[in-house]
Amino acid sequence: MEGSVDSALLEKASEDRGKEHAILEACRWRNLGDLRALAESPGGLLTDSLRQQAWPLLLGLPPKEGQVQLDVDRSFIYYPLHKSDAELNQQKQELSSLILEVLRRHPYLCYFQGYHDICQVLLLVLPPPVRAPAVARLSALRIRDFMLPSLSPAVAQLRLIPDILRAADPALWRHLSATEPFFALSGTLTMYAHDITTLGEIARLFDVLLAREPVFSVYMFAAIVRGRRDELFDTPADEPEILHSILSKLPRPLDLEGLVAAARQLFNAHPPSASPPQTMRDAEVFFRRQVRELEWKDRRDRLRETLWYYRRPAACTLGIAAMVGIVAVLLRPSATAGAGGPLAYISSLLARWGR
């Protein structure tokens, strides 16, 4: 019996050495196809030293930034368990400096609560020269919707979960139809770093999240929901608060390998629309465009509410004066470009109002 255990351990060690060599070769030749496949395979990228080479490549860092010295003093970086207040304070200072550096270099990004959870994972795994570039690319290219000045794009991502369930599991989708998908906000917003409490597990999960499309995080939560199917059906559909409470906490223990496999199966069966790769410059352009669209939507909604209020006969006289002021603000030159801009919208509203 003892010999069989030793044999199994040797076989496992041999398998890991073979996989380690494959990861190193994929990093050496920048073979992203092989690297993504290795990241998704059981065990992921195995160790933090291998992740230090692979993660920058998966995030698309230029070669000169991805090739960093790997013989840094890891005792200064990794603090999964703090032995003293001094060590904890040192790590907090490093995390604060990392976040501020990225936000100062890319001022269009908006900080959100939970961003520090994501940054903490990269700080614990990556060596200092790579941290800020890696966090910047992740922020601008993978979680940009969460770093806008409004949460509405993040909520739009959450609403993909019911769409996925409707396609993959109509019965479960109907059962949860009265439950808003906000239960997934913490998980998807922080790439699960807020909810998974061990470095080994979250590092393994980051392997696949960095290797796959940004929306893969949403498919993972859809897979989590499907994995709790029996438990959810035990709760009546007309008790959305209880269903929300169940779904807002990740199952314990969390079968990471099974979850990755289930999410991959969902993604392959019901893929999203493909999006082209982007550079950091592309990311900033799209970010500013999204901000303008959000600002216009907010103005449009406020104008609609005002017009609706002043449509009553008793308020017409006051409404005309108020509307003149509102239109003067909303129809600034920057807001009127294009045939489908505010002017056309207000004209159509006024036409409907006068009917």
Side-chain angles (χ1 to χ4, degrees):
M1 181 70 178
E2 202 170 299
S4 64
V5 172
D6 291 342
S7 176
L9 289 174
L10 289 173
E11 183 178 350
K12 179 66 168 57
S14 177
E15 290 175 358
D16 285 350
R17 282 195 295 271
K19 186 175 184 180
E20 178 180 352
H21 176 74
I23 294 170
L24 290 171
E25 285 297 294
C27 291
R28 177 185 177 188
W29 299 107
R30 302 184 67 83
N31 189 329
L32 295 181
D34 286 355
L35 196 56
R36 291 187 179 107
L38 290 163
E40 289 186 54
S41 65
L45 297 176
L46 298 179
T47 67
D48 285 348
S49 63
L50 293 173
R51 291 176 180 119
Q52 288 177 5
Q53 299 187 58
W55 283 10
L57 299 180
L58 291 172
L59 285 167
L61 290 177
K64 65 178 181 180
E65 291 182 272
Q67 299 301 314
V68 297
Q69 294 197 4
L70 301 175
D71 56 348
V72 294
D73 186 357
R74 291 181 178 85
S75 65
F76 184 69
I77 299 172
Y78 303 116
Y79 298 100
L81 295 175
H82 300 285
K83 296 181 179 179
S84 69
D85 289 341
E87 291 175 336
L88 177 59
N89 291 334
Q90 173 65 31
Q91 185 178 350
K92 286 182 177 179
Q93 181 59 49
E94 290 178 2
L95 182 59
S96 176
S97 298
L98 173 62
I99 292 172
L100 291 175
E101 179 181 353
V102 171
L103 295 180
R104 285 168 181 160
R105 290 186 178 183
H106 307 278
Y108 59 90
L109 297 173
C110 300
Y111 179 84
F112 64 89
Q113 190 173 10
Y115 183 64
H116 68 286
D117 291 311
I118 297 174
C119 295
Q120 178 177 302
V121 178
L122 274 70
L123 182 144
L124 289 172
V125 172
L126 296 177
V130 182
R131 293 175 189 165
V135 169
R137 288 188 67 86
L138 184 146
S139 303
L141 300 176
R142 304 192 70 88
I143 60 170
R144 184 175 65 232
D145 281 356
F146 305 147
M147 306 205 72
L148 287 158
S150 167
L151 266 181
S152 56
V155 172
Q157 283 203 29
L158 296 183
R159 299 203 182 281
L160 292 174
I161 295 175
D163 291 341
I164 296 168
L165 294 175
R166 179 170 52 187
D169 196 334
L172 183 56
W173 169 72
R174 285 191 295 270
H175 186 72
L176 297 175
S177 59
T179 306
E180 291 284 357
F182 300 129
F183 50 75
L185 183 60
S186 174
T188 55
L189 193 69
T190 67
M191 296 173 63
Y192 301 90
H194 182 73
D195 301 288
I196 294 179
T197 57
T198 64
L199 181 60
E201 285 187 313
I202 192 58
R204 165 63 188 111
L205 194 55
F206 268 45
D207 289 344
V208 69
L209 292 180
L210 298 182
R212 293 297 303 248
E213 300 82 352
V215 75
F216 193 74
S217 178
V218 176
Y219 279 83
M220 288 193 66
F221 214 103
I224 290 172
V225 174
R226 291 195 74 196
R228 310 183 80 167
R229 198 173 190 275
D230 293 342
E231 181 182 5
L232 294 171
F233 275 116
D234 285 340
T235 302
D238 60 358
E239 296 184 2
E241 295 84 2
I242 298 178
L243 290 168
H244 177 93
S245 178
I246 293 171
L247 290 169
S248 62
K249 302 177 183 65
L250 296 185
R252 294 284 186 269
L254 186 62
D255 177 12
L256 284 178
E257 300 303 336
L259 175 58
V260 170
R264 184 170 56 239
Q265 184 179 24
L266 267 181
F267 186 96
N268 293 338
H270 310 284
S273 301
S275 57
Q278 295 179 10
T279 65
M280 288 292 285
R281 176 57 184 162
D282 294 332
E284 182 173 355
V285 170
F286 280 111
F287 186 97
R288 297 190 186 283
R289 182 184 302 170
Q290 283 180 277
V291 169
R292 289 195 297 271
E293 290 172 354
L294 289 169
E295 289 173 346
W296 165 235
K297 181 179 180 300
D298 180 62
R299 290 172 176 170
R300 183 191 65 192
D301 292 344
R302 284 188 283 118
L303 179 61
R304 180 188 287 123
E305 291 173 2
T306 303
L307 289 174
W308 179 257
Y309 174 79
Y310 285 121
R311 69 189 294 271
R312 297 175 300 168
C316 277
T317 303
L318 181 59
I320 292 172
M323 192 187 311
V324 169
I326 294 170
V327 171
V329 173
L330 294 178
L331 298 189
R332 292 176 296 186
S334 62
T336 56
L343 186 58
Y345 177 76
I346 292 172
S347 298
S348 66
L349 276 180
L350 293 175
R352 290 198 295 271
W353 188 20
R355 288 176 186 170

